[in-house]
Amino acid sequence: CVAVACWGLAVGATRMFLGVHWCTDVIGGWLFAVGWLAVWACVAARWVPDAGAPDGVPERPATRS
């Protein structure tokens, strides 16, 4: 995860340095990526079962739809 994050930051920084993109374009791309990461993290937290929870940790209560 750290390597992928550093790669994304480095690509954005080199694009600004080379003058290919404006600073605001790169920042917008980074924010868009963070937004998608947040969406999928929420999806995973909601639908992935707690199979790997250690003993003594209560499972999430079931919710009614």
Side-chain angles (χ1 to χ4, degrees):
C1 290
V2 172
V4 171
C6 288
W7 175 72
L9 291 172
V11 168
T14 58
R15 297 295 176 187
M16 286 187 294
F17 177 74
L18 294 172
V20 179
H21 293 289
W22 293 96
C23 179
T24 54
D25 295 339
V26 173
I27 292 172
W30 287 337
L31 290 174
F32 184 76
V34 168
W36 268 115
L37 178 63
V39 167
W40 287 110
C42 289
V43 168
R46 175 69 176 105
W47 281 305
V48 173
D50 294 329
D55 291 336
V57 176
E59 292 187 15
R60 283 183 274 172
T63 58
R64 291 186 175 176
S65 298

